C-alpha cells in the first residue's frame, strides 16, 4: 500500500515531468499550508538554513548523544580496557620510592601515561567522520545544518567518555605507582591527563576529517 504522502509526492513529480514548471508552481501553492512540504521562512532565502544556529546545534547534539547511548557495550569495553591497562602499568611500577632508580621508573610510568592516553584516544575516533560522511554530505547539501554545529555537537556528545577514561586510568595507576600523595597533586595529574586525552581526540578528529 502507498501512503497518502507518498502518493501526493508521486503525483507532484508526475505533474512536474509532464506539464513543466508552471504546474509545479501551482502545485506548490496548493501545498502552501501542508506541514509535510518545506516552505520558505521569513527572512531566509532559498540558499539559507531553515533553523537557527542553536536549534541546529541542539538537534545534532541530541542525535549524537542518542547514538552514544545506543551502544553501551562500546562504552563498557573502553572503560574495562582502560582499567586493565591501568592495572597492568600500576603492577609493573608498583610502590616506587624517591631514590635514583625510583625517579627513573616514575619517568617511565609518566611516559606510559601520555602514550596510552594519546594512542588510545586517537585510534578511538579515527573512523568517526569517515563512517558518517555519506549522511553528512546529504544533510549538508539539504541545508539542514552547518558544518560547525555538526562538529561541535558530535564532539561534545562524546566528551563525557573522554573525561571518564582519563579518570579511571589515573585513579588506578596514581596510588599503585606511589606518586606524590595529596588531593591537589592527584587533581593536577588528572587535569593534565584529561587535557592530553582530549588533545589526542582532537588530533584523531583531524585525521578522520582528512
Amino acid at each position: 500500500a502507498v501512503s497518502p504522502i507518498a502518493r501526493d509526492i508521486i503525483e507532484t513529480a508526475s505533474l512536474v515531468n509532464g506539464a513543466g514548471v508552471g504546474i509545479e508552481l501551482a502545485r506548490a501553492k496548493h501545498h502552501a499550508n501542508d506541514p509535510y512540504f518545506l516552505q520558505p521562512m521569513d527572512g531566509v532565502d532559498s540558499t539559507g538554513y531553515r533553523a537557527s544556529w542553536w536549534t541546529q546545534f541542539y538537534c545534532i547534539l541530541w542525535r549524537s548523544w542518542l547514538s552514544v547511548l545506543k551502544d553501551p557495550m562500546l562504552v563498557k569495553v573502553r572503560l574495562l580496557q582502560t582499567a586493565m591497562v591501568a592495572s597492568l602499568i600500576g603492577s609493573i611500577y608498583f610502590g616506587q620510592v624517591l631514590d635514583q632508580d625510583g625517579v627513573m621508573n616514575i619517568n617511565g610510568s609518566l611516559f606510559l601515561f601520555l602514550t596510552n592516553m594519546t594512542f588510545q584516544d586517537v585510534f578511538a575516533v579515527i573512523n568517526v567522520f569517515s563512517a558518517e560522511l555519506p549522511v553528512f554530505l546529504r544533510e549538508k547539501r539539504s541545508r539542514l545544518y552547518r558544518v560547525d554545529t555538526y562538529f561541535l555537537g558530535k564532539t561534545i556528545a562524546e566528551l563525557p567518555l573522554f573525561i571518564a577514561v582519563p579518570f579511571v586510568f589515573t585513579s588506578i595507576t596514581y596510588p599503585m605507582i606511589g606518586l606524590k600523595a595529596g588531593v591537589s597533586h592527584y587533581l593536577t595529574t588528572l587535569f593534565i591527563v584529561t587535557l592530553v586525552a582530549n588533545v589526542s581526540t582532537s588530533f584523531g578528529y583531524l585525521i578522520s576529517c582528512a
Side-chain angles (χ1 to χ4, degrees), residues 42-117:
D42 294 337
V44 178
D45 56 17
S46 59
T47 62
Y49 296 95
R50 300 184 57 83
S52 64
W53 191 95
W54 285 107
T55 303
Q56 298 175 31
F57 172 73
Y58 173 78
C59 293
I60 294 296
L61 178 62
W62 181 248
R63 187 177 71 174
S64 301
W65 177 246
L66 289 180
S67 65
V68 173
L69 296 180
K70 286 180 181 179
D71 196 3
M73 183 59 64
L74 178 62
V75 177
K76 295 178 182 178
V77 169
R78 286 287 309 277
L79 295 177
L80 179 61
Q81 177 187 3
T82 301
M84 293 176 62
V85 174
S87 300
L88 178 62
I89 295 176
S91 300
I92 295 174
Y93 295 98
F94 183 80
Q96 298 298 317
V97 294
L98 292 179
D99 54 15
Q100 184 174 0
D101 293 335
V103 170
M104 296 298 295
N105 291 334
I106 290 175
N107 287 335
S109 66
L110 294 179
F111 173 78
L112 290 179
F113 260 66
L114 301 180
T115 55
N116 181 73
M117 286 294 98

Side-chain angles (χ1 to χ4, degrees), residues 1-8 10:
V2 180
S3 66
I5 299 175
R7 189 181 304 110
D8 204 11
I10 294 174

Side-chain angles (χ1 to χ4, degrees), residues 109-162:
S109 66
L110 294 179
F111 173 78
L112 290 179
F113 260 66
L114 301 180
T115 55
N116 181 73
M117 286 294 98
T118 299
F119 291 106
Q120 179 180 355
D121 292 320
V122 166
F123 289 114
V125 300
I126 201 170
N127 195 40
V128 168
F129 292 115
S130 58
E132 297 185 0
L133 187 60
V135 176
F136 168 75
L137 291 177
R138 183 176 68 250
E139 295 178 345
K140 177 66 175 62
R141 289 165 183 167
S142 300
R143 313 293 292 176
L144 295 180
Y145 48 75
R146 307 170 190 267
V147 177
D148 55 345
T149 55
Y150 171 77
F151 181 82
L152 291 175
K154 185 71 177 175
T155 53
I156 293 177
E158 297 179 352
L159 186 61
L161 178 61
F162 296 112

